[in-house]
Amino acid sequence: MITVLRIGHRPERDKRITTHVALVARAFGADRILIDTRDPDLERNFESTCERWGGKVTIKSGTKHREAMKSFDGQIVHLTMYGEELHKAIATLDPAKDTMIVVGAEKVPREVYELSTINVSVGNQPHSEVAALAIFLYTFHGQKMPEFVDGKMKIVPDPRGKTVMELETPDD
Amino acid sequence: MITVLRIGHRPERDKRITTHVALVARAFGADRILIDTRDPDLERNFESTCERWGGKVTIKSGTKHREAMKSFDGQIVHLTMYGEELHKAIATLDPAKDTMIVVGAEKVPREVYELSTINVSVGNQPHSEVAALAIFLYTFHGQKMPEFVDGKMKIVPDPRGKTVMELETPDD
């Protein structure tokens, strides 16, 4: 079970970046998304994506990061450009354990570093928490992404154009 | 030589996402960033990151995508959730050739599909152009990220906290 915890979310400023974080979490195999600041709009948008495209990924905003981290029974990975090199870090993690991945915005409180099992970097250069989360999950899962079989539509990979299958469901 | 072309950029709405695209392009080994809509603020911010952290990555906004794609002498990869599966697509590309990677925002004109050598997807699920660019470049480069040796500061990977080296330069 993989939880992604997004901290430092400011609904006015971060709606799009946090939406990208949530969609990446889902597409790269997380099961649960927690966001510190309450943002019902963002929850609704994410849930509507899940309805269309499938998957049982849950989202909940308004979760205090300290409590969530302290009460988490498993390993906690904090993604930061200051952390341990990705592959070295992953070698120390147990893929069978419940894992929480903490993704910060601009300023991350010191205690987040301390409450984490390990701080991990995807390159020690400034880039993007969206990219860091994608690369971490993709690498942690052996370069595999989950399939979603219960969506209302499905894309057939196409090198030249768009091929979308609409899957009928009884209540459509 | 790798060029990233960001299309559909709206300075009011997309400044942060396009900034993430540009920072990911730099951190994952692109040489040049082109953005369709003129945005001098975004250029300045990106250039100031390059000054602090190093690298000779250039950025230019106000480039028409049609002309840029038509006049490009090399292979053009358009990242889209509708495209060919990543690993199959990369197997058809020549790593020695100049490569342009086109990253769209919400709506991408049909001609972009047609002007590209190949349309490539990082999973056929909705997520993020920032994540797609990072995964594409990381995979294309054999999971290596470039080192930047001419920055004013350098991070030493640290599993527990922050270790930053300030590198003195004669004009500091």
Side-chain angles (χ1 to χ4, degrees):
Chain A
M1 161 102 168
I2 293 192
T3 300
V4 169
L5 170 64
R6 164 63 158 175
I7 64 175
H9 174 64
R10 295 151 300 176
E12 288 315 301
R13 190 179 157 168
D14 298 328
K15 210 173 278 293
R16 290 186 70 214
I17 298 280
T18 301
T19 296
H20 282 231
V21 166
L23 292 174
V24 162
R26 172 185 172 277
F28 289 85
D31 303 282
R32 186 169 70 136
I33 298 153
L34 302 175
I35 297 164
D36 57 354
T37 314
R38 194 162 148 62
D39 190 338
D41 273 5
L42 194 148
E43 288 181 358
R44 262 195 303 277
N45 286 339
F46 179 80
E47 283 162 356
S48 114
T49 301
C50 292
E51 255 175 58
R52 265 173 293 141
W53 293 96
K56 305 276 176 249
V57 185
T58 63
I59 190 162
K60 186 167 170 278
S61 68
T63 301
K64 288 196 176 132
H65 75 262
R66 190 177 304 141
E67 283 70 18
M69 293 179 76
K70 280 195 179 163
S71 66
F72 187 74
D73 183 19
Q75 55 198 353
I76 302 182
V77 172
H78 170 218
L79 294 178
T80 159
M81 66 190 283
Y82 300 102
E84 178 61 287
E85 191 274 327
L86 176 68
H87 293 90
K88 280 191 203 165
I90 284 183
T92 72
L93 297 172
D94 180 350
K97 261 195 193 168
D98 282 347
T99 304
M100 174 181 276
I101 302 160
V102 185
V103 181
E106 274 165 32
K107 279 179 198 165
V108 172
R110 177 75 215 175
E111 64 180 358
V112 170
Y113 288 81
E114 286 154 9
L115 291 170
S116 300
T117 313
I118 189 165
N119 294 282
V120 178
S121 78
V122 175
N124 296 111
Q125 289 285 327
H127 55 88
S128 162
E129 60 266 38
V130 179
L133 179 61
I135 298 275
F136 178 84
L137 284 172
Y138 193 64
T139 308
F140 192 56
H141 287 142
Q143 300 187 47
K144 286 194 176 50
M145 296 171 75
E147 286 215 40
F148 296 93
V149 293
D150 56 339
K152 292 184 180 169
M153 47 217 283
K154 188 177 156 70
I155 290 167
V156 182
D158 182 342
R160 302 301 326 152
K162 296 187 185 183
T163 312
V164 182
M165 283 162 57
E166 305 258 349
L167 308 172
E168 298 271 335
T169 54
D171 55 22
D172 269 357
Chain B
M1 159 104 168
I2 293 191
T3 300
V4 169
L5 170 63
R6 164 64 158 175
I7 64 176
H9 174 64
R10 295 151 300 177
E12 288 315 301
R13 191 178 158 170
D14 300 326
K15 212 173 276 295
R16 290 186 67 215
I17 298 280
T18 300
T19 296
H20 282 231
V21 165
L23 292 174
V24 162
R26 171 185 172 277
F28 290 84
D31 304 283
R32 186 170 71 135
I33 298 154
L34 302 175
I35 296 164
D36 57 353
T37 314
R38 194 160 149 63
D39 190 338
D41 271 5
L42 194 148
E43 288 181 358
R44 262 195 302 277
N45 285 339
F46 180 80
E47 282 162 356
S48 115
T49 300
C50 292
E51 254 175 60
R52 265 173 295 140
W53 294 96
K56 304 275 176 249
V57 185
T58 63
I59 190 163
K60 184 167 170 279
S61 68
T63 301
K64 289 198 174 128
H65 75 261
R66 189 176 305 142
E67 282 69 21
M69 292 179 76
K70 280 195 178 164
S71 66
F72 187 73
D73 184 18
Q75 55 199 354
I76 303 182
V77 172
H78 169 220
L79 295 178
T80 159
M81 67 189 282
Y82 300 102
E84 179 61 287
E85 191 275 325
L86 176 68
H87 293 90
K88 280 191 203 165
I90 284 182
T92 72
L93 296 172
D94 180 350
K97 260 194 191 168
D98 283 346
T99 304
M100 173 180 277
I101 303 162
V102 185
V103 181
E106 275 165 32
K107 279 177 198 166
V108 172
R110 176 76 213 172
E111 65 180 358
V112 169
Y113 287 81
E114 287 155 7
L115 291 170
S116 299
T117 313
I118 189 165
N119 294 281
V120 178
S121 78
V122 175
N124 295 112
Q125 289 286 327
H127 55 86
S128 162
E129 61 265 39
V130 179
L133 179 62
I135 298 276
F136 178 85
L137 285 171
Y138 193 62
T139 308
F140 191 57
H141 287 144
Q143 299 186 50
K144 287 194 173 53
M145 295 171 75
E147 287 216 37
F148 297 93
V149 294
D150 57 337
K152 291 185 180 169
M153 47 218 281
K154 190 178 156 71
I155 289 168
V156 182
D158 181 343
R160 302 298 332 151
K162 297 187 184 184
T163 313
V164 183
M165 283 164 56
E166 306 256 351
L167 308 172
E168 298 269 335
T169 55
D171 55 22
D172 269 355

